[in-house]
Amino acid sequence: MTTHSEFRHARRALRPLAGVLLGVLLLAGCAPDPGLRVEDPGVPAPTVTASEPAGPPDEPFSAGEVREAIISANGPARQQGMDQVHEVLLVCSGCLRLHDPFIAGGQKFQIAMVSTPSDQQLFAGVVVSEEDGEPEVNLIVSGHDLTLTPGRGGTLVAQESTYRERDPECCPSGWSVRVYRYHDGRFEAGQRISQNSGN
C-alpha cells in the first residue's frame, strides 16, 4: 500500500517530466507546414504544389529582362547578399534560368535560379515581382545545390546541400530546408531545418 509521503515524493519526481511533455506539445503546434516533406540526404528537393496556378515562368518578364533587373538593382536589394549573383550575371547571360512561379498575397512572383559559369551548379535564387510595369527584386536566397519550390499558401521552400563532418569537398551529404512566407509586403524566413551532423 502506498503511503501519503510516498505519493507526494512520486508526484514531485513526475513534475519535470510533465514540464517536458508540455513543452513538446507546445512545440508541436509550431511544427513546419505539413505540406513540407523533408527528404533523406541525396534525394532531390521536395515536390510541393502551389495552391493556385501562376502561369508561365517567363511572364510577365523574360529571363533577359530579369537578368537586367538584377544587374541594375540597388538599395535594399543589393544589401541582401547579391554581390556574387551580380558578378556572375555580368559575365554570363546563360547562368540565369526561370523556374516555376508562384502566387503570394494575390501577386505573381517569378523565380530566377543562378548557376556558376564553370559547372552550372545552382548557388542562388532570386524572387522577382512586377512593380509599375518593371521587374523588382524581392528576395535573394543562396546555398549549395539550391532549389526553390513553390509551397502551399504562397510559401516558398528553399532546400540546399550542406557538408557533414567527414564529407569530401565534392559531395555534401547533409541538407537544409527553410520556408519563406510573404507577409506585409516582404518575405519572412521561417526556422531552418537541417541534417548536417556526421554519421
Side-chain angles (χ1 to χ4, degrees), residues 130-149:
E130 182 178 1
E131 183 70 31
D132 297 327
E134 298 293 330
E136 177 175 330
V137 175
N138 300 98
L139 175 68
I140 298 170
V141 181
S142 60
H144 188 78
D145 290 332
L146 180 72
T147 62
L148 292 182
T149 310

Side-chain angles (χ1 to χ4, degrees), residues 6-37:
E6 288 173 328
F7 177 74
R8 267 198 335 246
H9 181 69
R11 192 171 62 182
R12 271 193 225 118
L14 288 174
R15 278 185 187 155
L17 178 60
V20 169
L21 286 174
L22 179 61
V24 168
L25 290 173
L26 288 173
L27 285 175
C30 302
D33 184 341
L36 173 64
R37 188 164 44 93

Side-chain angles (χ1 to χ4, degrees), residues 81 98 118 134 181:
L98 297 177
S118 55
E134 298 293 330
R181 297 182 186 277

Side-chain angles (χ1 to χ4, degrees), residues 168-197:
E169 190 175 338
C170 69
C171 313
S173 63
W175 48 257
S176 175
V177 175
R178 177 173 278 187
V179 177
Y180 292 83
R181 297 182 186 277
Y182 188 70
H183 181 70
D184 287 341
R186 64 189 183 92
F187 285 94
E188 297 177 350
Q191 181 181 2
R192 187 184 300 275
I193 302 168
S194 60
Q195 178 185 10
N196 57 13
S197 58

Side-chain angles (χ1 to χ4, degrees), residues 51-52 102-109 153-155 181-185 187:
S51 57
E52 53 185 304
F102 65 106
I103 303 289
Q107 185 175 4
K108 178 176 179 175
F109 292 91
T155 60
R181 297 182 186 277
Y182 188 70
H183 181 70
D184 287 341
F187 285 94

